[in-house]
Amino acid sequence: LAKHPEIKALMKPDYNLIWVVVLMVLAQLTAFYLVKDLDWKWVIFWAYVFGSCISHSMTLAIHEISHNSAFGNSKAMWNRWFGIFANLPLGLPYSISFKRYHMDHHRYLGGDGIDVDIPTNFEGWFFCTRFRKFIWIVLQPFFYAIRPLCINPKPITRLEIINLLAQLSFDVVIYYLWGVKSTFYMLAGSVLGLGLHPISGHFIAEHYMFLKGHETYSYYGPLNLLTFNVGYHNEHHDFPNIPGKSLPLVKKIAAEYYDNLPQYNSWIKVLYDFVMDDMISPYSRMKRQLKGEVKQD
């Protein structure tokens, strides 16, 4: 910032995010209706080919919303309510809890017992062979759901209860209106999209130490178009209050800080290398013992 104060001008809400999220919700509602009478093989096909992409993209929209990118920091609660709305086509309550834990990830990156993005000791110990690492990737959504309860359980808040009730109500309505196939498409799309899927490469690309001494990596490939530029991850951790839309400008303005860092151009290759490289496992993360006062959401 001292060298490039113009970056401060990028620290403002991305109001286009609101309309993109609304269109994504409408797209999924349309898909729920269209799959209700299809054969099961086509329900599964479209859940993976289309629904999984929209669902994973929506989790990254929720990531943007968790940083108050939709309405700005001055309207924090508007962002929380909008996150609950964006959560609806995922089928599982996620938005409010993600916000609480994700802020810890930014404040205490790699913090032992705090940052639930760090795999548990069991994950590192058990998923150590190529086949087991492949299974770990398939099961990633389950580990991301269970891990906070093991590492850093938090008291349930009022907003989390509202998130849960809103989601259950939405799921019941979808089942009542369009039946089990639409409901299955919704839930399967979320599970498949966060598991063995090209976009899921970002989970591993962001912080797994393929090179010692480099803890965070950016990805500059085409899937950023579907993921609100989450691939610009060094830039995001440097400036978490800048919306994803503007992170390429951060890289352009401060190119001397980012261009020479290790980077990726393929999330599929990241997944392949993770499975096939015997030196890489869920243990390949930087873990820190935190000192002093820890403030959590």
Side-chain angles (χ1 to χ4, degrees), residues 140-187:
Q140 271 193 111
F142 299 101
F143 287 113
Y144 270 91
I146 295 170
R147 196 182 294 147
L149 303 177
C150 300
I151 294 178
N152 186 18
K154 296 184 178 186
I156 296 176
T157 65
R158 180 178 66 90
L159 277 178
E160 285 176 305
I161 294 173
I162 293 173
N163 192 178
L164 172 63
L165 294 177
Q167 191 63 61
L168 289 176
S169 299
F170 179 83
D171 295 351
V172 168
V173 169
I174 295 299
Y175 178 78
Y176 178 78
L177 290 177
W178 297 321
V180 67
K181 291 181 179 178
S182 296
T183 307
F184 174 86
Y185 168 90
M186 172 172 58
L187 297 173

mmCIF file of all heavy atoms in Angstrom, residues 140-187:
data_model
loop_
_atom_site.group_PDB
_atom_site.id
_atom_site.type_symbol
_atom_site.label_atom_id
_atom_site.label_comp_id
_atom_site.label_asym_id
_atom_site.label_seq_id
_atom_site.Cartn_x
_atom_site.Cartn_y
_atom_site.Cartn_z
ATOM 1 N N GLN A 140 -14.113 -34.733 0.249
ATOM 2 C CA GLN A 140 -13.793 -33.415 0.801
ATOM 3 C C GLN A 140 -14.984 -32.685 1.421
ATOM 4 O O GLN A 140 -14.851 -32.089 2.497
ATOM 5 C CB GLN A 140 -13.143 -32.538 -0.277
ATOM 6 C CG GLN A 140 -11.640 -32.670 -0.338
ATOM 7 C CD GLN A 140 -11.014 -31.577 -1.181
ATOM 8 O OE1 GLN A 140 -10.339 -30.706 -0.669
ATOM 9 N NE2 GLN A 140 -11.235 -31.631 -2.482
ATOM 10 N N PRO A 141 -16.166 -32.681 0.779
ATOM 11 C CA PRO A 141 -17.275 -31.935 1.405
ATOM 12 C C PRO A 141 -17.633 -32.450 2.791
ATOM 13 O O PRO A 141 -18.021 -31.673 3.660
ATOM 14 C CB PRO A 141 -18.436 -32.116 0.411
ATOM 15 C CG PRO A 141 -18.038 -33.262 -0.462
ATOM 16 C CD PRO A 141 -16.546 -33.232 -0.528
ATOM 17 N N PHE A 142 -17.490 -33.755 3.017
ATOM 18 C CA PHE A 142 -17.799 -34.304 4.338
ATOM 19 C C PHE A 142 -16.756 -33.893 5.370
ATOM 20 O O PHE A 142 -17.092 -33.563 6.508
ATOM 21 C CB PHE A 142 -17.901 -35.829 4.242
ATOM 22 C CG PHE A 142 -18.976 -36.311 3.320
ATOM 23 C CD1 PHE A 142 -18.677 -36.753 2.034
ATOM 24 C CD2 PHE A 142 -20.309 -36.287 3.710
ATOM 25 C CE1 PHE A 142 -19.665 -37.181 1.173
ATOM 26 C CE2 PHE A 142 -21.320 -36.709 2.853
ATOM 27 C CZ PHE A 142 -20.994 -37.157 1.582
ATOM 28 N N PHE A 143 -15.492 -33.879 4.969
ATOM 29 C CA PHE A 143 -14.451 -33.460 5.902
ATOM 30 C C PHE A 143 -14.575 -31.975 6.244
ATOM 31 O O PHE A 143 -14.355 -31.578 7.389
ATOM 32 C CB PHE A 143 -13.064 -33.782 5.345
ATOM 33 C CG PHE A 143 -12.733 -35.246 5.386
ATOM 34 C CD1 PHE A 143 -12.591 -35.984 4.218
ATOM 35 C CD2 PHE A 143 -12.582 -35.911 6.594
ATOM 36 C CE1 PHE A 143 -12.297 -37.336 4.251
ATOM 37 C CE2 PHE A 143 -12.294 -37.269 6.642
ATOM 38 C CZ PHE A 143 -12.151 -37.977 5.469
ATOM 39 N N TYR A 144 -14.924 -31.158 5.256
ATOM 40 C CA TYR A 144 -15.091 -29.733 5.532
ATOM 41 C C TYR A 144 -16.281 -29.473 6.444
ATOM 42 O O TYR A 144 -16.302 -28.496 7.191
ATOM 43 C CB TYR A 144 -15.241 -28.948 4.225
ATOM 44 C CG TYR A 144 -13.915 -28.473 3.671
ATOM 45 C CD1 TYR A 144 -13.203 -29.250 2.767
ATOM 46 C CD2 TYR A 144 -13.359 -27.263 4.072
ATOM 47 C CE1 TYR A 144 -11.979 -28.842 2.270
ATOM 48 C CE2 TYR A 144 -12.138 -26.838 3.582
ATOM 49 C CZ TYR A 144 -11.446 -27.629 2.684
ATOM 50 O OH TYR A 144 -10.230 -27.224 2.203
ATOM 51 N N ALA A 145 -17.278 -30.353 6.388
ATOM 52 C CA ALA A 145 -18.446 -30.200 7.260
ATOM 53 C C ALA A 145 -18.164 -30.688 8.673
ATOM 54 O O ALA A 145 -18.601 -30.071 9.661
ATOM 55 C CB ALA A 145 -19.635 -30.962 6.673
ATOM 56 N N ILE A 146 -17.418 -31.789 8.800
ATOM 57 C CA ILE A 146 -17.183 -32.414 10.110
ATOM 58 C C ILE A 146 -15.997 -31.802 10.840
ATOM 59 O O ILE A 146 -15.998 -31.696 12.068
ATOM 60 C CB ILE A 146 -16.969 -33.931 9.920
ATOM 61 C CG1 ILE A 146 -18.247 -34.572 9.383
ATOM 62 C CG2 ILE A 146 -16.556 -34.600 11.223
ATOM 63 C CD1 ILE A 146 -18.067 -36.010 8.938
ATOM 64 N N ARG A 147 -14.992 -31.354 10.089
ATOM 65 C CA ARG A 147 -13.746 -30.897 10.698
ATOM 66 C C ARG A 147 -13.928 -29.791 11.741
ATOM 67 O O ARG A 147 -13.309 -29.848 12.818
ATOM 68 C CB ARG A 147 -12.784 -30.440 9.603
ATOM 69 C CG ARG A 147 -11.335 -30.302 10.078
ATOM 70 C CD ARG A 147 -10.479 -29.792 8.949
ATOM 71 N NE ARG A 147 -10.392 -30.747 7.856
ATOM 72 C CZ ARG A 147 -10.289 -30.397 6.572
ATOM 73 N NH1 ARG A 147 -10.287 -29.132 6.225
ATOM 74 N NH2 ARG A 147 -10.188 -31.328 5.631
ATOM 75 N N PRO A 148 -14.761 -28.770 11.494
ATOM 76 C CA PRO A 148 -14.924 -27.736 12.529
ATOM 77 C C PRO A 148 -15.414 -28.292 13.867
ATOM 78 O O PRO A 148 -15.029 -27.794 14.938
ATOM 79 C CB PRO A 148 -15.955 -26.783 11.914
ATOM 80 C CG PRO A 148 -15.811 -26.983 10.444
ATOM 81 C CD PRO A 148 -15.489 -28.442 10.267
ATOM 82 N N LEU A 149 -16.266 -29.330 13.812
ATOM 83 C CA LEU A 149 -16.797 -29.914 15.043
ATOM 84 C C LEU A 149 -15.713 -30.643 15.824
ATOM 85 O O LEU A 149 -15.822 -30.801 17.041
ATOM 86 C CB LEU A 149 -17.932 -30.885 14.703
ATOM 87 C CG LEU A 149 -19.100 -30.288 13.907
ATOM 88 C CD1 LEU A 149 -20.116 -31.369 13.584
ATOM 89 C CD2 LEU A 149 -19.746 -29.141 14.666
ATOM 90 N N CYS A 150 -14.672 -31.078 15.119
ATOM 91 C CA CYS A 150 -13.568 -31.792 15.772
ATOM 92 C C CYS A 150 -12.469 -30.849 16.243
ATOM 93 O O CYS A 150 -11.888 -31.047 17.314
ATOM 94 C CB CYS A 150 -12.975 -32.824 14.805
ATOM 95 S SG CYS A 150 -14.135 -34.077 14.231
ATOM 96 N N ILE A 151 -12.173 -29.839 15.443
ATOM 97 C CA ILE A 151 -11.035 -28.960 15.729
ATOM 98 C C ILE A 151 -11.416 -27.771 16.596
ATOM 99 O O ILE A 151 -10.722 -27.444 17.556
ATOM 100 C CB ILE A 151 -10.404 -28.468 14.405
ATOM 101 C CG1 ILE A 151 -9.780 -29.641 13.651
ATOM 102 C CG2 ILE A 151 -9.357 -27.394 14.667
ATOM 103 C CD1 ILE A 151 -9.169 -29.244 12.312
ATOM 104 N N ASN A 152 -12.535 -27.123 16.251
ATOM 105 C CA ASN A 152 -12.856 -25.859 16.913
ATOM 106 C C ASN A 152 -14.367 -25.659 16.986
ATOM 107 O O ASN A 152 -14.915 -24.754 16.354
ATOM 108 C CB ASN A 152 -12.198 -24.705 16.137
ATOM 109 C CG ASN A 152 -12.360 -23.367 16.838
ATOM 110 O OD1 ASN A 152 -12.654 -23.298 18.025
ATOM 111 N ND2 ASN A 152 -12.170 -22.285 16.094
ATOM 112 N N PRO A 153 -15.071 -26.499 17.756
ATOM 113 C CA PRO A 153 -16.527 -26.339 17.851
ATOM 114 C C PRO A 153 -16.899 -25.010 18.506
ATOM 115 O O PRO A 153 -16.242 -24.574 19.449
ATOM 116 C CB PRO A 153 -16.952 -27.530 18.717
ATOM 117 C CG PRO A 153 -15.738 -27.897 19.494
ATOM 118 C CD PRO A 153 -14.562 -27.602 18.606
ATOM 119 N N LYS A 154 -17.932 -24.385 17.979
ATOM 120 C CA LYS A 154 -18.387 -23.086 18.495
ATOM 121 C C LYS A 154 -19.858 -23.168 18.878
ATOM 122 O O LYS A 154 -20.612 -23.954 18.289
ATOM 123 C CB LYS A 154 -18.200 -21.996 17.435
ATOM 124 C CG LYS A 154 -16.762 -21.740 17.051
ATOM 125 C CD LYS A 154 -16.669 -20.578 16.059
ATOM 126 C CE LYS A 154 -15.227 -20.277 15.695
ATOM 127 N NZ LYS A 154 -15.101 -19.074 14.858
ATOM 128 N N PRO A 155 -20.289 -22.373 19.853
ATOM 129 C CA PRO A 155 -21.714 -22.349 20.199
ATOM 130 C C PRO A 155 -22.553 -21.904 18.997
ATOM 131 O O PRO A 155 -22.135 -21.041 18.225
ATOM 132 C CB PRO A 155 -21.788 -21.308 21.328
ATOM 133 C CG PRO A 155 -20.393 -21.190 21.843
ATOM 134 C CD PRO A 155 -19.485 -21.463 20.687
ATOM 135 N N ILE A 156 -23.709 -22.510 18.847
ATOM 136 C CA ILE A 156 -24.594 -22.157 17.735
ATOM 137 C C ILE A 156 -25.191 -20.777 17.975
ATOM 138 O O ILE A 156 -25.627 -20.452 19.080
ATOM 139 C CB ILE A 156 -25.705 -23.205 17.580
ATOM 140 C CG1 ILE A 156 -25.096 -24.563 17.214
ATOM 141 C CG2 ILE A 156 -26.705 -22.784 16.505
ATOM 142 C CD1 ILE A 156 -26.103 -25.685 17.137
ATOM 143 N N THR A 157 -25.225 -19.957 16.946
ATOM 144 C CA THR A 157 -25.762 -18.607 17.058
ATOM 145 C C THR A 157 -27.187 -18.548 16.503
ATOM 146 O O THR A 157 -27.650 -19.462 15.818
ATOM 147 C CB THR A 157 -24.888 -17.609 16.287
ATOM 148 O OG1 THR A 157 -24.947 -17.917 14.879
ATOM 149 C CG2 THR A 157 -23.434 -17.672 16.760
ATOM 150 N N ARG A 158 -27.854 -17.439 16.783
ATOM 151 C CA ARG A 158 -29.218 -17.233 16.287
ATOM 152 C C ARG A 158 -29.245 -17.249 14.760
ATOM 153 O O ARG A 158 -30.147 -17.829 14.141
ATOM 154 C CB ARG A 158 -29.754 -15.901 16.801
ATOM 155 C CG ARG A 158 -31.184 -15.578 16.354
ATOM 156 C CD ARG A 158 -31.644 -14.263 16.939
ATOM 157 N NE ARG A 158 -30.875 -13.148 16.409
ATOM 158 C CZ ARG A 158 -31.210 -12.455 15.314
ATOM 159 N NH1 ARG A 158 -32.310 -12.775 14.642
ATOM 160 N NH2 ARG A 158 -30.466 -11.455 14.900
ATOM 161 N N LEU A 159 -28.263 -16.617 14.126
ATOM 162 C CA LEU A 159 -28.239 -16.581 12.671
ATOM 163 C C LEU A 159 -28.035 -17.970 12.067
ATOM 164 O O LEU A 159 -28.575 -18.276 11.003
ATOM 165 C CB LEU A 159 -27.142 -15.631 12.182
ATOM 166 C CG LEU A 159 -27.494 -14.146 12.125
ATOM 167 C CD1 LEU A 159 -26.287 -13.334 11.674
ATOM 168 C CD2 LEU A 159 -28.685 -13.886 11.211
ATOM 169 N N GLU A 160 -27.274 -18.811 12.740
ATOM 170 C CA GLU A 160 -27.090 -20.175 12.249
ATOM 171 C C GLU A 160 -28.391 -20.957 12.325
ATOM 172 O O GLU A 160 -28.699 -21.762 11.429
ATOM 173 C CB GLU A 160 -25.987 -20.877 13.038
ATOM 174 C CG GLU A 160 -24.583 -20.412 12.645
ATOM 175 C CD GLU A 160 -23.495 -21.030 13.495
ATOM 176 O OE1 GLU A 160 -23.578 -20.904 14.741
ATOM 177 O OE2 GLU A 160 -22.558 -21.627 12.946
ATOM 178 N N ILE A 161 -29.169 -20.732 13.362
ATOM 179 C CA ILE A 161 -30.473 -21.388 13.476
ATOM 180 C C ILE A 161 -31.405 -20.901 12.368
ATOM 181 O O ILE A 161 -32.117 -21.694 11.737
ATOM 182 C CB ILE A 161 -31.086 -21.126 14.867
ATOM 183 C CG1 ILE A 161 -30.243 -21.806 15.952
ATOM 184 C CG2 ILE A 161 -32.530 -21.630 14.920
ATOM 185 C CD1 ILE A 161 -30.671 -21.479 17.361
ATOM 186 N N ILE A 162 -31.378 -19.595 12.091
ATOM 187 C CA ILE A 162 -32.192 -19.048 11.004
ATOM 188 C C ILE A 162 -31.751 -19.630 9.671
ATOM 189 O O ILE A 162 -32.589 -20.000 8.825
ATOM 190 C CB ILE A 162 -32.096 -17.508 10.997
ATOM 191 C CG1 ILE A 162 -32.749 -16.931 12.258
ATOM 192 C CG2 ILE A 162 -32.741 -16.931 9.738
ATOM 193 C CD1 ILE A 162 -32.561 -15.438 12.435
ATOM 194 N N ASN A 163 -30.447 -19.715 9.457
ATOM 195 C CA ASN A 163 -29.906 -20.325 8.242
ATOM 196 C C ASN A 163 -30.413 -21.756 8.087
ATOM 197 O O ASN A 163 -30.844 -22.177 7.002
ATOM 198 C CB ASN A 163 -28.383 -20.284 8.321
ATOM 199 C CG ASN A 163 -27.672 -20.616 7.012
ATOM 200 O OD1 ASN A 163 -26.439 -20.575 6.936
ATOM 201 N ND2 ASN A 163 -28.403 -20.940 5.968
ATOM 202 N N LEU A 164 -30.386 -22.514 9.178
ATOM 203 C CA LEU A 164 -30.846 -23.906 9.159
ATOM 204 C C LEU A 164 -32.332 -23.993 8.848
ATOM 205 O O LEU A 164 -32.759 -24.773 7.978
ATOM 206 C CB LEU A 164 -30.541 -24.561 10.503
ATOM 207 C CG LEU A 164 -31.122 -25.967 10.727
ATOM 208 C CD1 LEU A 164 -30.524 -26.949 9.721
ATOM 209 C CD2 LEU A 164 -30.883 -26.434 12.155
ATOM 210 N N LEU A 165 -33.150 -23.208 9.530
ATOM 211 C CA LEU A 165 -34.598 -23.263 9.336
ATOM 212 C C LEU A 165 -34.996 -22.809 7.925
ATOM 213 O O LEU A 165 -35.881 -23.399 7.299
ATOM 214 C CB LEU A 165 -35.302 -22.415 10.393
ATOM 215 C CG LEU A 165 -35.181 -22.911 11.843
ATOM 216 C CD1 LEU A 165 -35.852 -21.932 12.798
ATOM 217 C CD2 LEU A 165 -35.766 -24.310 11.993
ATOM 218 N N ALA A 166 -34.327 -21.757 7.433
ATOM 219 C CA ALA A 166 -34.617 -21.284 6.079
ATOM 220 C C ALA A 166 -34.272 -22.358 5.058
ATOM 221 O O ALA A 166 -35.028 -22.598 4.106
ATOM 222 C CB ALA A 166 -33.836 -20.004 5.791
ATOM 223 N N GLN A 167 -33.142 -23.031 5.274
ATOM 224 C CA GLN A 167 -32.718 -24.059 4.338
ATOM 225 C C GLN A 167 -33.644 -25.268 4.359
ATOM 226 O O GLN A 167 -34.027 -25.794 3.309
ATOM 227 C CB GLN A 167 -31.288 -24.495 4.662
ATOM 228 C CG GLN A 167 -30.657 -25.358 3.594
ATOM 229 C CD GLN A 167 -30.526 -24.610 2.279
ATOM 230 O OE1 GLN A 167 -29.846 -23.594 2.196
ATOM 231 N NE2 GLN A 167 -31.185 -25.102 1.238
ATOM 232 N N LEU A 168 -34.021 -25.722 5.546
ATOM 233 C CA LEU A 168 -34.936 -26.861 5.650
ATOM 234 C C LEU A 168 -36.284 -26.535 5.010
ATOM 235 O O LEU A 168 -36.868 -27.374 4.312
ATOM 236 C CB LEU A 168 -35.116 -27.253 7.112
ATOM 237 C CG LEU A 168 -33.908 -27.910 7.794
ATOM 238 C CD1 LEU A 168 -34.201 -28.149 9.272
ATOM 239 C CD2 LEU A 168 -33.536 -29.220 7.103
ATOM 240 N N SER A 169 -36.759 -25.324 5.216
ATOM 241 C CA SER A 169 -38.032 -24.915 4.625
ATOM 242 C C SER A 169 -37.944 -24.920 3.105
ATOM 243 O O SER A 169 -38.863 -25.395 2.410
ATOM 244 C CB SER A 169 -38.419 -23.514 5.123
ATOM 245 O OG SER A 169 -38.573 -23.505 6.534
ATOM 246 N N PHE A 170 -36.852 -24.396 2.574
ATOM 247 C CA PHE A 170 -36.653 -24.377 1.125
ATOM 248 C C PHE A 170 -36.598 -25.795 0.571
ATOM 249 O O PHE A 170 -37.232 -26.102 -0.451
ATOM 250 C CB PHE A 170 -35.357 -23.624 0.800
ATOM 251 C CG PHE A 170 -35.044 -23.566 -0.667
ATOM 252 C CD1 PHE A 170 -35.626 -22.602 -1.478
ATOM 253 C CD2 PHE A 170 -34.160 -24.469 -1.245
ATOM 254 C CE1 PHE A 170 -35.338 -22.547 -2.832
ATOM 255 C CE2 PHE A 170 -33.866 -24.420 -2.597
ATOM 256 C CZ PHE A 170 -34.458 -23.462 -3.394
ATOM 257 N N ASP A 171 -35.869 -26.678 1.241
ATOM 258 C CA ASP A 171 -35.746 -28.062 0.771
ATOM 259 C C ASP A 171 -37.097 -28.759 0.750
ATOM 260 O O ASP A 171 -37.417 -29.507 -0.190
ATOM 261 C CB ASP A 171 -34.768 -28.836 1.664
ATOM 262 C CG ASP A 171 -33.339 -28.302 1.578
ATOM 263 O OD1 ASP A 171 -33.071 -27.450 0.709
ATOM 264 O OD2 ASP A 171 -32.502 -28.725 2.404
ATOM 265 N N VAL A 172 -37.893 -28.522 1.790
ATOM 266 C CA VAL A 172 -39.220 -29.137 1.854
ATOM 267 C C VAL A 172 -40.097 -28.631 0.707
ATOM 268 O O VAL A 172 -40.830 -29.406 0.075
ATOM 269 C CB VAL A 172 -39.884 -28.850 3.218
ATOM 270 C CG1 VAL A 172 -41.362 -29.232 3.193
ATOM 271 C CG2 VAL A 172 -39.162 -29.611 4.328
ATOM 272 N N VAL A 173 -40.009 -27.334 0.418
ATOM 273 C CA VAL A 173 -40.804 -26.766 -0.676
ATOM 274 C C VAL A 173 -40.396 -27.380 -2.008
ATOM 275 O O VAL A 173 -41.253 -27.730 -2.829
ATOM 276 C CB VAL A 173 -40.645 -25.228 -0.707
ATOM 277 C CG1 VAL A 173 -41.236 -24.650 -1.998
ATOM 278 C CG2 VAL A 173 -41.336 -24.605 0.497
ATOM 279 N N ILE A 174 -39.090 -27.516 -2.255
ATOM 280 C CA ILE A 174 -38.617 -28.118 -3.508
ATOM 281 C C ILE A 174 -39.119 -29.548 -3.625
ATOM 282 O O ILE A 174 -39.588 -29.979 -4.692
ATOM 283 C CB ILE A 174 -37.080 -28.062 -3.590
ATOM 284 C CG1 ILE A 174 -36.600 -26.614 -3.672
ATOM 285 C CG2 ILE A 174 -36.565 -28.875 -4.769
ATOM 286 C CD1 ILE A 174 -37.103 -25.850 -4.876
ATOM 287 N N TYR A 175 -39.041 -30.300 -2.529
ATOM 288 C CA TYR A 175 -39.520 -31.696 -2.550
ATOM 289 C C TYR A 175 -41.030 -31.743 -2.797
ATOM 290 O O TYR A 175 -41.511 -32.574 -3.581
ATOM 291 C CB TYR A 175 -39.182 -32.375 -1.235
ATOM 292 C CG TYR A 175 -39.678 -33.800 -1.157
ATOM 293 C CD1 TYR A 175 -38.998 -34.834 -1.805
ATOM 294 C CD2 TYR A 175 -40.848 -34.116 -0.460
ATOM 295 C CE1 TYR A 175 -39.458 -36.142 -1.755
ATOM 296 C CE2 TYR A 175 -41.316 -35.418 -0.407
ATOM 297 C CZ TYR A 175 -40.619 -36.419 -1.056
ATOM 298 O OH TYR A 175 -41.093 -37.702 -1.005
ATOM 299 N N TYR A 176 -41.770 -30.861 -2.153
ATOM 300 C CA TYR A 176 -43.233 -30.847 -2.301
ATOM 301 C C TYR A 176 -43.641 -30.468 -3.724
ATOM 302 O O TYR A 176 -44.566 -31.061 -4.306
ATOM 303 C CB TYR A 176 -43.837 -29.856 -1.304
ATOM 304 C CG TYR A 176 -45.333 -29.728 -1.407
ATOM 305 C CD1 TYR A 176 -46.188 -30.696 -0.865
ATOM 306 C CD2 TYR A 176 -45.903 -28.635 -2.060
ATOM 307 C CE1 TYR A 176 -47.572 -30.567 -0.974
ATOM 308 C CE2 TYR A 176 -47.282 -28.505 -2.173
ATOM 309 C CZ TYR A 176 -48.112 -29.470 -1.630
ATOM 310 O OH TYR A 176 -49.476 -29.354 -1.744
ATOM 311 N N LEU A 177 -42.951 -29.481 -4.312
ATOM 312 C CA LEU A 177 -43.326 -29.002 -5.635
ATOM 313 C C LEU A 177 -42.880 -29.947 -6.750
ATOM 314 O O LEU A 177 -43.655 -30.232 -7.684
ATOM 315 C CB LEU A 177 -42.715 -27.618 -5.885
ATOM 316 C CG LEU A 177 -43.283 -26.445 -5.089
ATOM 317 C CD1 LEU A 177 -42.509 -25.177 -5.418
ATOM 318 C CD2 LEU A 177 -44.767 -26.239 -5.400
ATOM 319 N N TRP A 178 -41.645 -30.457 -6.667
ATOM 320 C CA TRP A 178 -41.060 -31.133 -7.814
ATOM 321 C C TRP A 178 -40.525 -32.522 -7.517
ATOM 322 O O TRP A 178 -40.035 -33.207 -8.412
ATOM 323 C CB TRP A 178 -39.969 -30.268 -8.435
ATOM 324 C CG TRP A 178 -40.511 -28.967 -8.963
ATOM 325 C CD1 TRP A 178 -41.693 -28.791 -9.603
ATOM 326 C CD2 TRP A 178 -39.894 -27.680 -8.893
ATOM 327 N NE1 TRP A 178 -41.866 -27.473 -9.946
ATOM 328 C CE2 TRP A 178 -40.769 -26.758 -9.517
ATOM 329 C CE3 TRP A 178 -38.703 -27.204 -8.366
ATOM 330 C CZ2 TRP A 178 -40.479 -25.402 -9.625
ATOM 331 C CZ3 TRP A 178 -38.404 -25.849 -8.476
ATOM 332 C CH2 TRP A 178 -39.290 -24.969 -9.096
ATOM 333 N N GLY A 179 -40.581 -32.953 -6.266
ATOM 334 C CA GLY A 179 -40.299 -34.349 -5.973
ATOM 335 C C GLY A 179 -38.856 -34.688 -5.669
ATOM 336 O O GLY A 179 -37.982 -33.830 -5.557
ATOM 337 N N VAL A 180 -38.622 -35.996 -5.587
ATOM 338 C CA VAL A 180 -37.341 -36.499 -5.086
ATOM 339 C C VAL A 180 -36.199 -36.267 -6.078
ATOM 340 O O VAL A 180 -35.048 -36.062 -5.655
ATOM 341 C CB VAL A 180 -37.474 -38.001 -4.743
ATOM 342 C CG1 VAL A 180 -37.689 -38.833 -6.000
ATOM 343 C CG2 VAL A 180 -36.252 -38.488 -3.992
ATOM 344 N N LYS A 181 -36.475 -36.274 -7.378
ATOM 345 C CA LYS A 181 -35.392 -36.096 -8.343
ATOM 346 C C LYS A 181 -34.813 -34.687 -8.279
ATOM 347 O O LYS A 181 -33.587 -34.502 -8.359
ATOM 348 C CB LYS A 181 -35.871 -36.425 -9.750
ATOM 349 C CG LYS A 181 -36.153 -37.907 -9.952
ATOM 350 C CD LYS A 181 -36.600 -38.228 -11.365
ATOM 351 C CE LYS A 181 -36.852 -39.727 -11.534
ATOM 352 N NZ LYS A 181 -37.332 -40.071 -12.889
ATOM 353 N N SER A 182 -35.655 -33.707 -8.136
ATOM 354 C CA SER A 182 -35.167 -32.333 -8.006
ATOM 355 C C SER A 182 -34.380 -32.156 -6.712
ATOM 356 O O SER A 182 -33.345 -31.478 -6.688
ATOM 357 C CB SER A 182 -36.338 -31.345 -8.048
ATOM 358 O OG SER A 182 -36.991 -31.398 -9.297
ATOM 359 N N THR A 183 -34.871 -32.770 -5.649
ATOM 360 C CA THR A 183 -34.172 -32.688 -4.365
ATOM 361 C C THR A 183 -32.822 -33.384 -4.440
ATOM 362 O O THR A 183 -31.807 -32.873 -3.946
ATOM 363 C CB THR A 183 -35.027 -33.314 -3.246
ATOM 364 O OG1 THR A 183 -36.331 -32.718 -3.252
ATOM 365 C CG2 THR A 183 -34.377 -33.111 -1.890
ATOM 366 N N PHE A 184 -32.802 -34.546 -5.072
ATOM 367 C CA PHE A 184 -31.540 -35.273 -5.249
ATOM 368 C C PHE A 184 -30.566 -34.466 -6.088
ATOM 369 O O PHE A 184 -29.374 -34.370 -5.772
ATOM 370 C CB PHE A 184 -31.807 -36.626 -5.913
ATOM 371 C CG PHE A 184 -30.548 -37.379 -6.256
ATOM 372 C CD1 PHE A 184 -29.932 -38.199 -5.316
ATOM 373 C CD2 PHE A 184 -29.973 -37.266 -7.524
ATOM 374 C CE1 PHE A 184 -28.774 -38.882 -5.635
ATOM 375 C CE2 PHE A 184 -28.819 -37.952 -7.849
ATOM 376 C CZ PHE A 184 -28.215 -38.762 -6.892
ATOM 377 N N TYR A 185 -31.048 -33.881 -7.188
ATOM 378 C CA TYR A 185 -30.196 -33.055 -8.051
ATOM 379 C C TYR A 185 -29.560 -31.931 -7.247
ATOM 380 O O TYR A 185 -28.354 -31.648 -7.401
ATOM 381 C CB TYR A 185 -31.034 -32.481 -9.195
ATOM 382 C CG TYR A 185 -30.357 -31.395 -9.983
ATOM 383 C CD1 TYR A 185 -29.582 -31.694 -11.102
ATOM 384 C CD2 TYR A 185 -30.496 -30.062 -9.604
ATOM 385 C CE1 TYR A 185 -28.964 -30.691 -11.831
ATOM 386 C CE2 TYR A 185 -29.868 -29.049 -10.328
ATOM 387 C CZ TYR A 185 -29.109 -29.367 -11.430
ATOM 388 O OH TYR A 185 -28.485 -28.371 -12.136
ATOM 389 N N MET A 186 -30.326 -31.287 -6.386
ATOM 390 C CA MET A 186 -29.820 -30.179 -5.577
ATOM 391 C C MET A 186 -28.698 -30.639 -4.646
ATOM 392 O O MET A 186 -27.617 -30.051 -4.610
ATOM 393 C CB MET A 186 -30.965 -29.569 -4.760
ATOM 394 C CG MET A 186 -30.544 -28.524 -3.740
ATOM 395 S SD MET A 186 -31.959 -27.685 -2.981
ATOM 396 C CE MET A 186 -32.854 -29.060 -2.257
ATOM 397 N N LEU A 187 -28.964 -31.703 -3.896
ATOM 398 C CA LEU A 187 -27.993 -32.171 -2.907
ATOM 399 C C LEU A 187 -26.782 -32.825 -3.579
ATOM 400 O O LEU A 187 -25.635 -32.611 -3.170
ATOM 401 C CB LEU A 187 -28.661 -33.148 -1.946
ATOM 402 C CG LEU A 187 -29.792 -32.559 -1.098
ATOM 403 C CD1 LEU A 187 -30.498 -33.665 -0.319
ATOM 404 C CD2 LEU A 187 -29.259 -31.498 -0.144
#
